[in-house]
Amino acid sequence: MSLETPEKIRHLQRKLYRKAKAEPAFRFYVLYDKICREDMLRHAYALARANAGSPGVDGVTFAKIEAEGAERWLAGLREELVSKTYRPQPVRRVMIPKPGGGERPLGIPTIRDRVVQTAAKLVLEPIFEADFEDGAYGYRPRRSGTDAIKEVHRLVCRGYTDVVDADLSKYFDTIPHSDLLTSVARRIVERHVLRLIKLWLKAPIEERDGDGKRHVSGGKSSTRGTPQGGVASPLLSVIYMNRFLKHWRLTGRGEAFRAHVISYADDFVILSRGHADEALAWTRSVMTKLGLTLNEAKTSLKDARTEPFDFLGYTFGPHRYRKDGHWYLGASPSKKSVQRIKTKIGDHLVNGNKEPWPVVCTQLNRLLRGWSGYFGYGTRLPAYRAVDNHVYDRVRAFLRKRHKVQGRGTQRFSDDIVFGKLGVLRLRRVHIGPPPRASR
């Protein structure tokens, strides 16, 4: 199945977007039949298949679906939607480690539910995309975290150096259902579509304890949260966060605080010229009205001219140019981001990895390319150098133990051999150029 959006679906998306953009007050009322279309479900399945992922509570995998016939399976799912008998199954919850320590819950819907959510997203996203504020970058087509990083750096260099470094407490878990559905209903009238979204929000959460015992929570009694891991959740989270951004614009806060908000889902910063404390007080009040809470322990005010702050894996603020020692306002991969990639490299190059070296090297290079693809902006040479040094140390130790080489192995596995003959990617050779900078 092709991942390229079929022209018929693209035509529908363009039509919906243009209507929504031209008429900001228009409410859409014939959409459910679009979600149920055969071509829509087929493309949604292809997208879900490409994303792979673990099976949900029913244990059904893509391999099993295709062994029994994907077209037949899709026809059955479509029949459930058309007859209005479709009901989402419980969401399987697993806990995954957070980069800063602790764990966060990840909800894994079944494949059938992921396909229906993807079909709904294909139809609904163009409508809400027409409404989203310019400062929103997360989970939007043709926008990325890198775009947000570049904009933050641009604003800091333009003098917006009084920063509200904000953090929302458990944003995805605390979004109020009633207010979120109200936000959706400002654009979507059709009750069958609203019912679908409500069913996903109210889907029970299933967990297994260490003994494999099943625990179910949430369900119809749930009033908050949209599980991270669901296909519809990112779009719903941006829709709700857009309430804050839109209120900021309509009340003239940008002019009053001489400030800009840059948001990536629940991650956001406010960059001001002298009014960061007022912006924080206003934000705290508005978030309370929205049913959300700022994490006070992780929210702070910074002067980016003298204090660095982190956003989306980058550190912004004062940087020293190595060649002549002068200071500039820069952006570089954060220390935490460097440590995370080091940890992943170490997890890959463990003694228990018995794969042939070409396979090990290919997987390692894929990891490094993915990391450098995101961390390819700003002052990255010091971070690249630190990662290169770590890669060399770990590869040498890995191969020394595999081949039972005495000593440190620096002769047999020299720097030139590891990054040359053995084919390991050296990040310092990846798109290095002069860092963008602005003098302090």
Side-chain angles (χ1 to χ4, degrees):
M1 293 183 179
S2 173
L3 293 183
E4 184 177 347
T5 306
E7 182 53 38
K8 191 175 178 182
I9 295 177
R10 288 176 61 85
H11 177 74
L12 171 65
Q13 290 176 324
R14 286 193 293 265
K15 188 176 178 181
L16 292 171
Y17 175 83
R18 288 168 182 163
K19 181 69 174 178
K21 198 70 174 176
E23 300 183 40
F26 185 81
R27 301 173 75 195
F28 293 79
Y29 49 88
V30 183
L31 296 173
Y32 188 77
D33 63 320
K34 315 295 189 298
I35 295 171
C36 301
R37 276 173 23 181
E38 288 182 20
D39 62 332
M40 194 70 69
L41 290 172
R42 190 177 296 111
H43 185 56
Y45 178 85
L47 293 173
R49 180 73 176 85
N51 288 330
S54 303
V57 296
D58 60 1
V60 174
T61 64
F62 287 103
K64 182 177 180 181
I65 291 170
E66 287 161 17
E68 296 176 359
E71 287 297 328
R72 180 180 168 188
W73 183 86
L74 282 168
L77 180 57
R78 182 173 183 274
E79 176 56 34
E80 286 185 48
L81 288 167
V82 172
S83 63
K84 313 293 193 307
T85 59
Y86 164 81
R87 298 289 186 279
Q89 293 171 281
V91 175
R92 181 166 71 91
R93 173 177 283 176
V94 297
M95 305 302 291
I96 60 174
K98 294 173 67 175
E103 295 180 317
R104 68 177 177 88
L106 180 69
I108 304 175
T110 61
I111 291 175
R112 67 192 287 277
D113 293 331
R114 298 207 293 264
V115 170
V116 179
Q117 288 186 29
T118 302
K121 180 174 178 284
L122 287 167
V123 174
L124 300 180
E125 186 175 64
I127 296 170
F128 290 101
E129 177 64 23
D131 293 338
F132 290 151
E133 298 292 318
D134 287 341
Y137 287 85
Y139 309 125
R140 295 181 62 184
R142 295 176 295 281
R143 286 196 168 208
S144 67
T146 303
D147 295 324
I149 289 157
K150 290 178 179 178
E151 182 63 7
V152 168
H153 187 211
R154 186 183 73 85
L155 289 168
V156 167
C157 291
R158 286 181 55 202
Y160 293 89
T161 52
D162 297 293
V163 180
V164 178
D165 185 6
D167 186 88
L168 286 171
S169 294
K170 299 180 179 179
Y171 175 64
F172 281 83
D173 296 334
T174 58
I175 297 175
H177 290 173
S178 59
D179 291 341
L180 173 59
L181 288 168
T182 297
S183 294
V184 174
R186 288 197 178 105
R187 274 300 200 177
I188 310 299
V189 177
E190 188 170 4
R191 62 187 179 91
H192 299 305
V193 176
L194 294 173
R195 173 179 165 275
L196 267 185
I197 295 172
K198 188 172 182 180
L199 285 172
W200 292 326
L201 292 174
K202 301 290 185 182
I205 304 296
E206 180 181 301
E207 296 179 86
R208 301 274 178 173
D209 60 22
D211 299 323
K213 189 176 180 181
R214 180 173 179 260
H215 299 276
V216 179
S217 59
K220 292 182 179 179
S221 62
S222 174
T223 61
R224 289 178 175 269
T226 177
Q228 284 182 271
V231 178
S233 293
L235 175 60
L236 295 175
S237 73
V238 179
I239 290 171
Y240 198 65
M241 187 64 180
N242 200 60
R243 292 181 65 160
F244 168 75
L245 299 174
K246 187 175 182 180
H247 189 51
W248 170 279
R249 176 175 58 82
L250 292 178
T251 56
R253 294 304 94 190
E255 294 78 12
F257 300 144
R258 301 180 69 197
H260 296 267
V261 182
I262 304 299
S263 164
Y264 193 96
D266 58 330
D267 238 343
F268 69 98
V269 290
I270 301 174
L271 307 169
S272 171
R273 286 180 170 174
H275 300 275
D277 52 346
E278 298 167 60
L280 175 57
W282 184 88
T283 298
R284 186 181 289 116
S285 173
V286 172
M287 288 300 179
T288 300
K289 293 175 183 176
L290 291 173
L292 305 172
T293 306
L294 283 177
N295 185 335
E296 298 293 346
K298 295 183 178 180
T299 298
S300 61
L301 300 177
K302 297 284 181 67
D303 180 353
R305 292 167 296 183
T306 58
E307 302 172 277
F309 68 95
D310 288 356
F311 181 61
L312 299 181
Y314 274 75
T315 295
F316 300 87
H319 286 60
R320 187 188 291 274
Y321 193 50
R322 290 171 59 90
K323 289 188 176 179
D324 60 16
H326 83 265
W327 289 90
Y328 64 95
L329 292 174
S332 59
S334 70
K335 290 181 179 178
K336 288 183 179 179
S337 299
V338 173
Q339 186 54 51
R340 284 175 203 149
I341 188 63
K342 286 182 177 180
T343 300
K344 289 182 179 180
I345 292 164
D347 291 343
H348 179 62
L349 296 171
V350 293
N351 293 338
N353 188 343
K354 303 300 182 184
E355 296 281 359
W357 171 249
V359 174
V360 174
C361 183
T362 297
Q363 293 172 343
L364 175 61
N365 286 348
R366 186 181 300 124
L367 178 65
L368 293 171
R369 283 195 183 92
W371 188 83
S372 65
Y374 180 77
F375 291 103
Y377 177 77
T379 307
R380 62 260 190 204
L381 184 56
Y384 281 14
R385 184 182 292 111
V387 174
D388 282 343
N389 292 341
H390 184 74
V391 167
Y392 174 63
D393 288 343
R394 292 311 302 257
V395 167
R396 191 184 74 246
F398 177 80
L399 293 174
R400 178 176 61 81
K401 289 181 180 179
R402 172 171 283 195
H403 295 283
K404 297 181 174 55
V405 174
Q406 297 296 317
R408 299 178 61 226
T410 52
Q411 285 191 325
R412 181 167 175 181
F413 303 113
S414 67
D415 182 276
D416 288 341
I417 289 175
V418 167
F419 292 108
K421 182 179 179 181
L422 294 178
V424 177
L425 179 70
R426 192 194 295 270
L427 292 188
R428 277 171 283 181
R429 292 177 181 168
V430 177
H431 50 70
I432 287 293
R437 61 182 184 270
S439 298
R440 287 182 58 204

